[in-house]
Structure formats: C-alpha cells, structure tokens
Amino acid sequence: MEQTASSSQKNSADFNQPLPLHIANLICVRAGKAMPFAREQMSAIDKAPIKAPVAVNFMGLTIDEQADRRHHGGPLKAVHQLAVATYDKINAEFGLKVRVGTLGENLTTEAVTGLLEMTEATVCIGDVFQYGQDEIIDGNGGDSVQLRIVQPRRPCYKINDQIGQFSKVPNIASWVTKQGIAGWYFEVVRDGMISADLPVYLIERPYPFATLEKLWQLSNSKEKFDAKVIEPWLAIEYLEDSWKTVLAKKMRKD
C-alpha cells in the first residue's frame, strides 16, 4: 500500500530546500458576506470565488467578512487556507459531495510539479509565504502579499451546520478535529493585492520541525511529554498563545 508523505519523511519533494522556493500556484481566492445562517445566527462561512484582484491588509481580505468576530477574523486569523485534500477525505469518509469552498477558506492552492501539496503535513508554524512574483521577494516594492502561519484552525459547530445542509451526518467537525485537517490561519506580514493564478513562494521557514500535523498530534494526545518535546514549541515566537497554553499542559512535571 502506498504510504502518505508526512513531515517526518525526508524526500526530495518536501519544502525543506533552499529558499525562496516556488511551491504552488494560487488557483482560487474566496471572500464572503455575513448572512443568515443556522440557529438564527449570522455567518460568512460560505465564501464565493473572487475574480478581480483583492486588497489584503492586517485584518485580511478587505472585502471578506466575519459574522462572529470573537472567534473568527482579526490579525491572528486574517486569512484562512485549507487543502483540497480535506474535502477529498470528508467526502470519502462520509460518502458526501461537499464542494471546495464550503468550509470558509479564503485561499486554495495547487502544487507545482515535483512538490507536495500545501497541507498540515507539509507547512509549519512560522512559515512565510509570498503570493506574487518572485522578482520582488528581496525588495520592498510591489503588490505581492506575504502571509505567516500562526495557528491551525479549530473546527466549530458551524462546519456541522454548513455540511448539514447537504447531509444528516452528525458532528463532522469533531472528526475533522481528530484528523487535524481544518487548515490554518495566517497573519499578514506585508499588505498587497492577491488574485487567482499567482505563484506561491515559501520565503521563510524558521521552525522546520513545527508542522501543523505534529502540533495537532501533541495537542490532542492524552499522553504527557518530556520537556524536551514541548519546550521547543513554547519557544516559537509566532505560535498563537492559546496553543502554547494547550501544549504547556502536555508537559510532564517530574
């Protein structure tokens, strides 16, 4: 049986290569408006493709809305990206046909030939990606956007309600959480313009050990770990604080 590539496997197709590295192409940009949703609430989880270039500032795409600003949006949840593979896994597991874009992501990418897709197994906390042309990576000008991964997305009940429009399958959000395939949030390092068909470059990788896959495994484990396992995560400058709180509780006290 073919094994799925993960961050723990060393092969020539991973992202631990000299940077900047052209790893993907942006194939869709999505934004949403807050609209009436389930349970008499508002939500902007249903994002529509945007054809024209969109401005991005420290709060995210300027035309994108979040109905619940307590749990969504803000500088540390400015832009959300989700791997297409998440939909493949949900649909295979539950026999559904949930379409890409249903779960609130802003960005969808496609790997370039010879490299792995951007997934929780291949991206790391602290990674900085540039969405735009490579000739301005080392300069200060241009409109290309730079985004840094600061935390995974925590699935909430709205995933259940959103997919529940098409299925009676209960608590898909819980399954997505256990799988660790909810995507990730960026903070904006450099404002600019973003649109479909832009190249995506990995330009910084300060913590190559810190894959989102591993973060989910540690966070959801019922075990305790030695300090040497947890402390490197607590030292990550860019990891959002609530995740550090979770990880600190996983450290053995002896």
Side-chain angles (χ1 to χ4, degrees):
M1 180 180 295
E2 182 179 354
Q3 292 185 339
T4 300
S6 74
S7 58
S8 62
Q9 294 174 301
K10 294 295 184 182
N11 63 56
S12 60
D14 70 19
F15 299 165
N16 293 315
Q17 300 182 36
L19 304 181
L21 179 65
H22 181 198
I23 62 168
N25 294 311
L26 185 60
I27 59 173
C28 191
V29 177
R30 293 179 173 85
K33 298 291 184 182
M35 302 178 66
F37 192 61
R39 311 186 195 203
E40 299 182 353
Q41 296 190 19
M42 302 286 286
S43 177
I45 192 173
D46 202 15
K47 309 291 187 187
I50 305 300
K51 302 300 182 183
V54 178
V56 178
N57 62 26
F58 77 104
M59 292 292 283
L61 280 66
T62 55
I63 63 172
D64 192 37
E65 294 183 359
Q66 297 83 35
D68 178 5
R69 284 302 184 95
R70 180 180 177 185
H71 298 103
H72 301 282
L76 298 181
K77 296 180 179 179
V79 179
H80 177 226
Q81 184 166 331
L82 184 68
V84 172
T86 293
Y87 291 96
D88 296 336
K89 292 174 182 178
I90 289 173
N91 290 336
E93 177 71 16
F94 299 102
L96 302 176
K97 295 182 179 179
V98 182
R99 61 173 175 78
V100 175
T102 299
L103 300 182
E105 68 271 23
N106 299 116
L107 306 180
T108 303
T109 59
E110 183 176 71
V112 299
T113 302
L115 287 178
L116 300 173
E117 295 283 355
M118 293 177 71
T119 70
E120 291 80 4
T122 62
V123 301
C124 299
I125 297 294
D127 282 358
V128 177
F129 297 92
Q130 177 164 302
Y131 295 74
Q133 294 300 318
D134 58 345
E135 62 261 27
I136 56 174
I137 283 178
D138 297 322
N140 295 317
D143 289 332
S144 61
V145 173
Q146 291 183 359
L147 306 175
R148 186 188 302 276
I149 297 178
V150 292
Q151 60 181 316
R153 177 192 183 179
R154 289 184 173 98
C156 69
Y157 71 89
K158 289 185 179 178
I159 287 181
N160 295 331
D161 290 343
Q162 176 75 330
I163 296 179
Q165 299 178 55
F166 320 106
S167 166
K168 299 300 182 182
V169 177
N171 212 358
I172 289 179
S174 176
W175 183 84
V176 169
T177 300
K178 292 176 181 177
Q179 299 295 313
I181 54 172
W184 52 90
Y185 285 117
F186 295 104
E187 67 175 351
V188 177
V189 176
R190 187 170 76 192
D191 297 0
M193 302 294 294
I194 202 166
S195 60
D197 301 323
L198 290 177
V200 182
Y201 297 88
L202 175 59
I203 63 172
E204 291 183 27
R205 171 156 282 193
Y207 306 101
F209 70 90
T211 66
L212 273 71
E213 178 184 63
K214 186 63 177 178
L215 177 55
W216 273 111
Q217 290 170 354
L218 293 173
S219 299
N220 291 329
S221 175
K222 295 180 180 180
E223 300 179 27
K224 297 285 187 176
F225 300 92
D226 291 339
K228 65 181 181 180
V229 174
I230 300 299
E231 285 179 346
W233 289 87
L234 303 183
I236 295 177
E237 177 183 359
Y238 306 108
L239 179 59
E240 191 269 338
D241 285 345
S242 68
W243 289 90
K244 292 184 179 182
T245 299
V246 171
L247 291 174
K249 294 177 180 178
K250 302 292 183 180
M251 190 159 51
R252 290 193 183 101
K253 301 300 182 181
D254 49 53

